[in-house]
Amino acid sequence: MSSYSTTQKWTLITTIMASSLVFIDGSALNVALPALQKEMELTGTQLLWVINGYALFLSALLMVGGALGDLYGRNRIFLIGLVLFSISSLVCGLAQNASQLLVARGFQGIGGALLTPGSLSILSAHFNNENRGKAIGLWSTFSALMGIIGPILGGWLAGMGYWRVIFFLNIPLSIFVFFGLLYKVPESKNASAKKLDVVGAVLVTLGLAGVTFGFTESSDLGFQHPVILMSVGIGITTLIIFTYSQKRIRNPMMPLSLFQSKTFTGANLMTLFLYMAMSGALFFVPLNLIQIQGYSEVKAGLSMLPIIICIATISPLMGKYIDQKGYRLPLIIGPLIVAAGYFTFTLIGISEGASSYWSTFMLPFLLIGIGMGIVVAPLTTAVMGSVNEANIGVASGINNTVARAASVLAIALLGAFALFSFKGEVIEKVETLGIEQRAQELLIEEAEDFTAAKPPLSLDKETALQAQQIYKEAFVSSFDGVVIIAMLLALLSSLISFLTIKNQD
């Protein structure tokens, strides 16, 4: 960094630390979910909302955050997002019940949407074409390192009963970033930025909210409940209206002309399906490891490291490969390897715990990491290479939004599937126990807590042990269903790449 100016050094430090906030918060919290669920006494549906309450607003408002920064100043919008993110983090850490936690997570998502796009925009504004690539490389490397540290940190804190500290850590980091950016990094904005597409922003937010709410709550109310049908119906209709509006509005948030490129369309469809597979399946992995397989929180965090390490080490190598050979082949092969990783999860069942890691969970994590490592850099290059230079920022924003929306939809859809499957398995097996009706009802009611379900204390020891085994087997069955769906989504993304992606001339 010795060749950089003082402004550039501070720009790098503040943007890296800001992105680290989001990476640590996400990766650490996933491993801490079982501990959080236990202490807050969350139902399975509420557990889904802990992740989706944040991801919903982040995905829906990501492009809005970028547009506001271009219009009103990137530093200004970034700092507003940072303040909102850090205050919301404090409230999350102090939350005493599920309602407080879920509302705070929603506001944290809004803060993240204002914060995340500004990070790379500010970085790009203070580095020229000669050193911008190197600066973004440093930013990406440190972001990947935070992804490695997050699960270990989350597991360690959760293991000691301090999952709330994950949220509190954001406060000192945010204060440092706030004053560093305010006093050391000059303001920048896009002089040619157009008026904000308010209609598009409202429509896409309502659309995603409707679909997410409907599928997430369907596990409690049932798919045929009027509230669920109305929510999903309004969500889908609003997203269709949003798409139509982008044709009519003068300065659309998502210019549909970009989708005239077959490669751009294919790359975004591939992003949607592959990231749905990734987010949907990996949401359930820590629950499986800790609640079912008997891993400690620390070992659960460490066990997932092959994914992050493979992505961090293979991605730079793929950058060199695509300069010489193009990005089409990696985008076909990578998802196939990821699909193989998801399939191998189904061969595990209930293992002997962390002592059997190397013969059970190591292989799927390794395959998923290798596959995603092959995909990440070529996918970004395909998106950027399929549009002209003037539209690179918008194209990147659309692809980022698709990836985030994929996460929201995956956890809503696969979460609903998993909860339905789990409850169905429990009901079917409890009825074979030959116990009185009231005891059966109590065991089925407990299934609402998903992996935190425990046999009632009123049961005798033998029946309680049988019930505990039923809960474990029901979860493994629903988990296998989730990873099979993830495998199919990964295979579909490979097929889309084969049919649509063309190497840049």
Side-chain angles (χ1 to χ4, degrees):
M1 285 177 60
S2 57
S3 60
Y4 297 144
S5 67
T6 301
T7 295
Q8 289 176 329
K9 287 176 184 177
W10 274 100
T11 301
L12 262 176
I13 291 167
T14 51
T15 55
I16 284 170
M17 289 190 70
S19 64
S20 298
L21 286 171
V22 180
F23 272 91
I24 290 177
D25 194 78
S27 58
L29 189 60
N30 265 12
V31 180
L33 282 176
L36 187 153
Q37 182 185 21
K38 185 178 180 180
E39 183 176 326
M40 301 288 284
E41 297 181 345
L42 303 179
T43 65
T45 301
Q46 288 172 329
L47 192 67
L48 298 180
W49 276 117
V50 170
I51 300 298
N52 259 358
Y54 172 80
L56 170 62
F57 287 100
L58 182 64
S59 64
L61 299 174
L62 204 60
M63 285 193 289
V64 176
L68 287 172
D70 286 343
L71 274 170
Y72 301 112
R74 296 178 181 119
N75 288 23
R76 179 183 298 175
I77 300 302
F78 180 95
L79 291 174
I80 291 171
L82 184 67
V83 170
L84 183 55
F85 186 88
S86 55
I87 292 173
S88 303
S89 296
L90 180 63
V91 177
C92 285
L94 295 173
Q96 297 301 304
N97 55 55
S99 299
Q100 292 172 6
L101 178 63
L102 298 180
V103 169
R105 285 288 284 168
F107 279 102
Q108 204 180 20
I110 297 170
L114 300 177
L115 172 70
T116 304
S119 188
L120 268 177
S121 298
I122 293 168
L123 196 69
S124 299
H126 295 291
F127 288 85
N128 56 35
N129 290 332
E130 292 178 8
N131 56 16
R132 186 178 296 144
K134 188 178 176 183
I136 292 174
L138 276 171
W139 181 87
S140 301
T141 300
F142 277 97
S143 295
L145 285 174
M146 291 306 108
I148 294 171
I149 293 167
I152 301 170
L153 181 66
W156 179 60
L157 290 170
M160 295 192 300
Y162 297 143
W163 61 264
R164 294 175 184 273
V165 176
I166 294 169
F167 294 112
F168 294 145
L169 281 174
N170 293 335
I171 311 303
L173 288 173
S174 295
I175 291 170
F176 179 87
V177 172
F178 183 90
F179 287 105
L181 195 76
L182 188 65
Y183 292 111
K184 298 292 185 179
V185 180
E187 179 63 282
S188 65
K189 61 171 71 174
N190 184 355
S192 61
K194 305 294 195 304
K195 185 181 175 183
L196 179 67
D197 177 12
V198 177
V199 173
V202 171
L203 289 172
V204 76
T205 305
L206 288 177
L208 280 172
V211 172
T212 303
F213 178 84
F215 281 107
T216 303
E217 291 293 324
S218 64
S219 59
D220 279 348
L221 301 176
F223 274 116
Q224 296 181 337
H225 194 282
V227 171
I228 301 303
L229 292 173
M230 184 170 68
S231 177
V232 174
I234 290 173
I236 292 172
T237 303
T238 308
L239 288 174
I240 292 170
I241 295 170
F242 164 72
T243 305
Y244 179 74
S245 76
Q246 299 303 284
K247 291 181 180 179
R248 317 265 309 171
I249 292 174
R250 181 174 296 177
N251 302 307
M253 188 167 68
M254 188 179 75
L256 296 183
S257 59
L258 296 181
F259 290 91
Q260 291 174 358
S261 164
K262 197 174 179 181
T263 295
F264 182 79
T265 302
N268 279 287
L269 278 174
M270 183 197 170
T271 300
L272 177 67
F273 293 122
L274 191 61
Y275 279 81
M276 277 187 75
M278 187 81 170
S279 302
L282 294 187
F283 171 82
F284 294 97
V285 167
L287 297 172
N288 189 356
L289 292 173
I290 297 165
Q291 305 279 59
I292 307 301
Q293 309 296 338
Y295 282 58
S296 69
E297 285 88 348
V298 174
K299 287 180 178 177
L302 289 169
S303 72
M304 297 171 68
L305 284 184
I307 297 178
I308 306 296
I309 292 170
C310 286
I311 292 173
T313 54
I314 295 173
S315 289
L317 300 177
M318 292 311 301
K320 295 177 182 177
Y321 174 89
I322 57 182
D323 285 342
Q324 298 173 356
K325 305 284 187 178
Y327 43 68
R328 185 172 187 266
L329 189 60
L331 294 181
I332 296 170
I333 293 174
L336 295 177
I337 298 173
V338 172
Y342 291 132
F343 175 75
T344 55
F345 274 127
T346 66
L347 307 177
I348 297 170
I350 299 176
S351 71
E352 295 175 7
S355 62
S356 64
Y357 170 73
W358 300 102
S359 60
T360 53
F361 285 94
M362 172 66 177
L363 181 59
F365 289 145
L366 192 62
L367 289 172
I368 292 168
I370 291 169
M372 290 303 295
I374 290 172
V375 165
V376 171
L379 184 56
T380 303
T381 308
V383 170
M384 299 306 186
S386 61
V387 299
N388 59 44
E389 194 169 338
N391 288 317
I392 282 177
V394 177
S396 175
I398 290 172
N399 190 248
N400 256 310
T401 300
V402 169
R404 302 285 183 174
S407 174
V408 174
L409 295 173
I411 293 171
L413 293 167
L414 294 184
F417 168 83
L419 289 172
F420 269 117
S421 174
F422 178 78
K423 291 175 187 175
E425 286 279 322
V426 169
I427 291 169
E428 184 180 323
K429 291 183 177 179
V430 162
E431 290 172 351
T432 66
L433 284 179
I435 56 177
E436 62 179 19
Q437 185 66 29
R438 179 55 187 157
Q440 287 187 26
E441 289 172 358
L442 288 172
L443 286 172
I444 291 167
E445 283 175 20
E446 190 67 21
E448 293 290 337
D449 292 342
F450 200 34
T451 53
K454 291 181 180 178
L457 296 174
S458 57
L459 293 179
D460 63 82
K461 188 175 181 181
E462 185 181 346
T463 306
L465 287 172
Q466 288 178 310
Q468 194 64 58
Q469 189 65 18
I470 284 172
Y471 290 142
K472 285 189 175 184
E473 290 174 357
F475 176 83
V476 169
S477 177
S478 62
F479 178 79
D480 286 349
V482 165
V483 291
I484 287 293
I485 294 171
M487 179 192 76
L488 295 174
L489 289 168
L491 290 174
L492 181 58
S493 69
S494 177
L495 178 63
I496 288 169
S497 297
F498 177 77
L499 296 175
T500 64
I501 303 293
K502 305 291 181 188
N503 283 326
Q504 195 174 16
D505 295 330

